[in-house]
């Protein structure tokens, strides 16, 4: 979508003008990965309008291949307006105008599935699944177990307002169980599925993904993976089998909701029938604390974290470094007012991810830190 950011704090009713930018879960991840030097393709649909022109051109400016972005001659490009306040506060307002948009009308019939499946990793978002039945059908098709599908990365991105009156929590659990790499916030897992007890309880609910990353806000993040950290290949190091293997077939039957309680409680019996028992999952995971960040705005930080972590996976780095990359990519967005920010240069991230534990825990990042000199100063004087 095209994003409109306020030129000053205040209610939407009081803000006199807005600056134009772009936003969107998958496109944010695509831009972050491309800016970090990876070959990335973004597949979507926008309107045949000026906002669509701007969105495609901006995403392309990050180095993303946009040749498979469709243009809809009937439906418009989605837009949204937001206030400057943090999303967690009551003062935060967002006005979405994407019902009936080109992206919300995506389906298996108007997306080039071969182009989508051509990469090493396919990144998807639970937000797209919520936009329409066509979008949900598309995500189910792309997560369907198949011999030659790419590694599927799935960010749960649970937004209750998008699922009003529907079984969104169960749908997202179904999709997550079919993915190879899953990102979920500790808070959203509790909100969607009623899971309490920390990352280990979430892993108990989601043992199927080869890699599960539980984001714990300013505290840090924990990554669970199957297999050890050794092995000569990146796939072995990350606990991921080769992309050509057959995935377990999963049929999910959601449990009925008692009143307005969350969809799945921590102790609820999973009603998933799996034709193959998934390999044992590591029970404790790898935790990496987040550096201290002087936050300007939080929107887009989760997408940036996913981009950083996936960058580490694509480079074959140890999982601990992948988590640190996720934190650094997120910090680049947290210290700007926009939904999207270019990550720091690779030499900067490599230097910071190599810090000792004490130096890493003392690291403090503020606006402008992505400039190498500024980042170095922060390290010397945390």
């Amino acid at each position: 979508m095209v994003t409109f950011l306020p030129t000053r704090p205040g209610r939407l009713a009081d803000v006199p003008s807005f600056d134009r930018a772009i936003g969107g879960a998958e496109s944010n991840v695509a831009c972050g990965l491309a800016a970090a030097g990876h070959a990335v393709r973004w597949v979507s649909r926008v309107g045949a309008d000026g906002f669509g022109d701007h969105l495609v051109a901006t995403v392309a400016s990050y180095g993303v291949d946009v040749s498979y972005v469709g243009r809809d001659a009937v439906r418009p490009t989605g837009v949204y307006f937001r206030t400057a306040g943090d999303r967690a506060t009551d003062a935060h307002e967002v006005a979405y105008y994407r019902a009936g948009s080109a992206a919300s009308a995506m389906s298996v019939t108007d997306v080039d599935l071969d182009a989508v499946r051509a990469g090493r990793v396919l990144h998807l978002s639970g937000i797209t699944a919520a936009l329409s039945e066509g979008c949900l059908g598309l995500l189910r098709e792309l997560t369907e177990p198949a011999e030659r599908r790419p590694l599927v990365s799935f960010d749960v991105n649970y937004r209750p307002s998008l699922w009003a009156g529907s079984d969104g929590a169960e749908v997202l659990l179904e999709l997550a169980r079919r993915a190879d790499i899953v990102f979920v916030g500790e808070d959203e897992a509790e909100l969607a599925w009623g899971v309490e007890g920390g990352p280990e309880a979430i892993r108990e609910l989601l043992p199927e993904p080869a890699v599960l990353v539980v984001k714990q806000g300013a505290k840090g993040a924990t990554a669970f993976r199957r297999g050890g950290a050794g092995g000569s290949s990146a796939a072995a190091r990350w606990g991921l089998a080769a992309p050509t293997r057959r995935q377990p077939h999963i049929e999910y039957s959601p449990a009925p909701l008692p009143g307005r309680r969350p969809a799945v409680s921590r102790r609820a019996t999973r009603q998933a029938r799996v034709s193959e028992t998934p390999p044992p999952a590591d029970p404790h995971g790898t935790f990496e604390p987040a550096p201290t960040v002087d936050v300007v705005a939080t929107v887009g930080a989760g997408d940036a974290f996913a981009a950083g972590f996936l960058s580490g996976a694509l480079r074959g780095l140890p999982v601990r470094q992948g988590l640190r990359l996720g934190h650094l990519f997120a910090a680049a967005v947290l210290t700007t007012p926009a939904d999207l920010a270019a990550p720091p240069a690779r030499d900067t991230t490599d230097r910071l991810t190599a810090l000792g534990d004490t130096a890493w825990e003392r690291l403090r990042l503020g606006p402008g830190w992505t400039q190498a000199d500024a980042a170095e100063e922060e390290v010397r004087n945390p």
Side-chain angles (χ1 to χ4, degrees):
M1 293 178 293
V2 171
T3 308
F4 289 94
L5 308 176
T7 54
R8 73 181 192 193
R11 302 183 308 151
L12 286 179
D14 301 328
V15 175
S17 59
F18 297 80
D19 291 326
R20 185 181 62 177
I22 67 168
E26 296 93 340
S27 58
N28 286 345
V29 174
C31 291
L33 281 168
H38 300 282
V40 184
R41 169 181 294 160
W42 179 52
V43 181
S44 187
R45 290 183 66 81
V46 300
D49 50 31
F51 287 150
D53 294 342
H54 169 69
L55 205 159
V56 172
T58 304
V59 172
S61 71
Y62 282 82
V64 177
D65 174 9
V66 295
S67 58
Y68 288 90
V69 177
R71 306 302 292 263
D72 194 316
V74 177
R75 300 175 182 87
T77 302
V79 300
Y80 84 97
F81 298 78
R82 68 174 174 86
T83 53
D86 189 286
R87 178 180 284 168
T89 68
D90 293 336
H92 183 76
E93 296 176 76
V94 179
Y96 288 103
Y97 298 93
R98 62 180 165 194
S101 67
S104 71
M106 287 190 298
S107 70
V108 294
T109 62
D110 59 14
V111 170
D112 189 326
L113 299 181
D114 289 336
V116 174
R117 292 172 172 141
R120 293 167 59 193
V121 176
L122 168 61
H123 182 72
L124 305 169
S125 166
I127 293 175
T128 298
L131 298 183
S132 67
E133 285 299 319
C135 285
L136 176 56
L138 176 61
L139 262 66
R140 281 181 165 144
E141 171 67 24
L142 294 174
T143 57
E144 180 69 23
E147 284 287 350
R148 296 189 61 82
R149 81 173 196 186
L151 293 171
V152 173
S153 166
F154 181 69
D155 195 334
V156 173
N157 272 330
Y158 179 55
R159 302 289 186 269
S161 60
L162 294 178
W163 295 98
S166 62
D167 56 352
E170 292 93 338
V171 169
L172 294 175
L173 186 59
E174 168 201 345
L175 294 172
R177 285 175 169 166
R178 293 159 63 133
D180 300 291
I181 305 171
V182 172
F183 300 92
V184 64
E186 188 175 25
D187 55 349
E188 67 179 336
E190 181 176 357
L191 179 63
W193 305 316
V195 181
E196 299 176 353
E200 290 79 10
I202 300 171
R203 183 53 160 173
E204 183 181 346
L205 178 69
L206 276 170
E208 297 87 357
V211 175
L212 172 68
V213 181
V214 179
K215 297 174 289 184
Q216 299 166 262
K219 179 181 177 181
T222 300
F224 299 88
R225 67 197 189 281
R226 291 202 294 266
S232 59
S233 70
R237 176 175 289 171
W238 287 77
L240 296 170
T244 55
R245 86 279 189 232
R246 180 178 294 279
Q247 294 281 339
H249 177 65
I250 298 173
E251 298 175 4
Y252 179 69
S253 303
L257 298 180
R260 298 184 63 183
R261 289 183 57 79
V264 183
S265 68
R266 178 187 175 187
R267 300 182 182 275
T269 300
R270 297 195 315 275
Q271 294 180 313
R273 297 183 297 278
V274 185
S275 61
E276 302 174 23
T277 302
D282 54 327
H284 303 298
T286 300
F287 172 77
E288 189 63 28
T292 300
V293 179
D294 297 330
V295 176
V296 174
T298 60
V299 181
D303 302 327
F305 180 93
F309 188 85
L310 291 174
S311 178
L314 290 167
R315 294 175 59 190
L317 300 178
V319 172
R320 187 162 174 260
Q321 273 187 271
L323 289 170
R324 286 191 173 187
L325 276 178
H327 291 319
L328 292 174
F329 277 44
V333 173
L334 288 168
T335 51
T336 64
D339 298 21
L340 179 64
R346 180 170 291 191
D347 60 347
T348 299
T349 58
D350 286 351
R351 175 165 50 82
L352 294 181
T353 57
L355 289 173
D357 290 345
T358 300
W360 174 261
E361 291 172 7
R362 295 174 62 197
L363 184 63
R364 180 165 187 165
L365 305 171
W369 77 271
T370 53
Q371 303 170 21
D373 292 342
E376 185 176 352
E377 183 69 21
E378 293 282 4
V379 175
R380 287 201 304 268
N381 300 289

